[in-house]
Amino acid sequence: MEAPALCRHILITSFVLLTAQTQGFYTDQDHDAVLPEVFPDRLQFFEFESVSVRCEGVSGSSTQTVWKKLKTSCFSEACNSSAPSCTVNPAFERDSGEYWCGTGEGGQRGAVNISVTAGLVILDIPATPAAEGSNLTLRCIDKTSELVHITDFYKDGVYHKIGYKSHMTLQNISKSDEGRYKCSISGKGESPESWLAVVKPQTGPDEEAPHLRGQTKTVILLRVSLTAVLLLLIGVILIRKHKNTPTMLSCCQRGADTNNFEAFKFSYA
């Protein structure tokens, strides 16, 4: 393969390699959406309660802030532009909406939907996704009383189960348990509806932690970048070498022509 063609091949290969790895890097980042932490860990609140949404301490969110899109608004806005956390105290119904970790209005993946109600009933459903194979108890809370109530639970708008002690337990959770839940107490009313997310559990120490995944991605991207730079340098060296080669050949050719001319003159002398 001639030098120009080889150089073009090296340049194209390095460009394709770098582009593919970079696209894969950002695709993985998008796939690993950062889920904010909610304190207390539930999705429903009574008015005048305090609720905090935090991005600090969440893997990959050291420079992110809490964004929100309230149900009463058509626009997204930063909950607190100066810190990676947001505390609403006291909370009102108008504070209901989606909250997520991000650096701008884009990237609304991994949002949690928080409901604040002026009613008397809420469902104690966690903001943290439930792990497959685990057990989870959903409690129906009456704002005016701590007494135990007979409670009706609903999933995706359909009657699901009755709880004789104000709660219902989901055992050996699977993906089929994922959905929207609410509860109702006779004479008190019903709670808002919230989404229960179900995820695969970490399998053990061999499971790569999120921060290690981030480090691995950084190392891979660095290696690919260095490889691309090295290939580019090799291409530049080959190009320069090829440019110098014709000059050297022409000098040698002129020297050979001069010797032949001298030999011709000598033969006729």
Side-chain angles (χ1 to χ4, degrees), residues 1 4 27 33 35 54 66 93 113 117 143 162 194 213-214 264:
M1 184 181 292
T27 299
L35 193 67
R54 304 178 186 177
V66 178
E93 279 191 319
N113 200 320
T117 179
K143 183 179 182 180
I162 188 171
S194 293
R213 286 202 304 268
F264 177 78

Side-chain angles (χ1 to χ4, degrees), residues 113-136:
N113 200 320
I114 294 175
S115 296
V116 181
T117 179
L120 301 178
V121 179
I122 62 171
L123 177 64
D124 185 4
I125 184 170
T128 304
E132 288 185 343
S134 65
N135 298 332
L136 176 65

Side-chain angles (χ1 to χ4, degrees), residues 69-158:
K69 185 177 181 181
L70 304 182
K71 293 181 179 179
T72 56
S73 174
C74 297
F75 304 98
S76 303
E77 59 180 336
C79 186
N80 186 348
S81 59
S82 61
S85 63
C86 172
T87 298
V88 182
N89 186 21
F92 295 97
E93 279 191 319
R94 64 173 178 265
D95 295 307
S96 299
E98 292 184 327
Y99 292 75
W100 69 94
C101 297
T103 56
E105 294 191 24
Q108 203 167 325
R109 299 182 180 183
V112 292
N113 200 320
I114 294 175
S115 296
V116 181
T117 179
L120 301 178
V121 179
I122 62 171
L123 177 64
D124 185 4
I125 184 170
T128 304
E132 288 185 343
S134 65
N135 298 332
L136 176 65
T137 297
L138 301 179
R139 302 181 185 279
C140 203
I141 300 176
D142 177 6
K143 183 179 182 180
T144 61
S145 172
E146 295 184 359
L147 297 176
V148 173
H149 298 281
I150 296 176
T151 306
D152 293 321
F153 291 88
Y154 298 82
K155 179 178 182 288
D156 298 327
V158 179

